[in-house]
Amino acid sequence: MVGFIQGICVQKVFYINRLYVLPEYMRMRIGTRLLSNAEKVSSTVANRIDLISMQKAKTLYERNGFNPLIPGSNTYFKDIEKKANCTPLPVFKVTSSITKACEKIAKRYGQKFDASIVNQEHNPMYVYLDVNSDIKSFLIGDKSGNIIQACVDANQSDFPKQRLLKEYTNLINSKIR
């Protein structure tokens, strides 16, 4: 792992608590990709992102559309649009609501869903959201490019699975070696 982002959503505001990239991997757009994914994920439940920036990171946030809350301050915000679209999103921690949705989908295929594969083993996971931000499909892979589990809601076409596979493949192919 060369970087991570962590945040929490409270009353339609997503607060980024931490964003870190190893110094030797800075200026490789990793921070930008982490922010972009955080924005995608938070857009399903929030309409704004807030964060407090360290001095040396202000340029990163400004380049990614964040504005100072007060000119000259280190508190930044970005308004985000809640878009009604079908999209695959990365999952960094499986919550109880994600677990319930994935268990329901997996059960239709005679499978079991195990959140520890993501939460404890830190394997990559993507969920596919419909226009109502409901989880309709999921994919869990390992860090070597192998699919551990992929389930598509029985009422969906193959399109969600194809999108999930594409996102996962992009992630594996973009790994810094």
Side-chain angles (χ1 to χ4, degrees), residues 81-148:
E81 261 182 60
K82 184 168 180 156
K83 298 176 183 172
N85 60 5
C86 300
T87 187
L89 295 174
V91 173
F92 303 103
K93 181 178 182 198
V94 180
T95 62
S96 61
S97 60
I98 294 172
T99 298
K100 286 178 188 174
C102 292
E103 284 175 341
K104 187 176 176 182
I105 295 166
K107 187 175 181 179
R108 291 185 185 139
Y109 291 92
Q111 298 181 26
K112 292 191 180 219
F113 176 76
D114 182 4
S116 70
I117 296 170
V118 177
N119 290 346
Q120 293 169 5
E121 297 177 29
H122 305 291
N123 283 313
M125 177 177 181
Y126 284 88
V127 295
Y128 186 84
L129 303 180
D130 69 4
V131 295
N132 298 315
S133 297
D134 293 327
I135 296 173
K136 293 298 179 183
S137 308
F138 70 89
L139 179 147
I140 302 172
D142 66 17
K143 297 165 193 101
S144 301
N146 301 308
I147 305 294
I148 295 172

Side-chain angles (χ1 to χ4, degrees), residues 37-98:
N37 280 326
E39 186 173 339
K40 271 191 217 177
V41 170
S42 63
S43 72
T44 64
V45 293
N47 54 23
R48 178 174 149 160
I49 299 175
D50 283 6
L51 59 89
I52 297 175
S53 172
M54 293 177 20
Q55 183 65 33
K56 63 183 179 180
K58 287 183 176 187
T59 306
L60 167 71
Y61 298 120
E62 290 170 359
R63 215 177 31 240
N64 284 283
F66 286 82
N67 299 300
L69 191 58
I70 300 167
S73 79
N74 67 337
T75 303
Y76 282 77
F77 77 96
K78 182 176 184 178
D79 290 324
I80 51 177
E81 261 182 60
K82 184 168 180 156
K83 298 176 183 172
N85 60 5
C86 300
T87 187
L89 295 174
V91 173
F92 303 103
K93 181 178 182 198
V94 180
T95 62
S96 61
S97 60
I98 294 172

Side-chain angles (χ1 to χ4, degrees), residues 11 86 96 101 124 154 169 176:
Q11 297 179 349
C86 300
S96 61
T169 302
I176 298 173

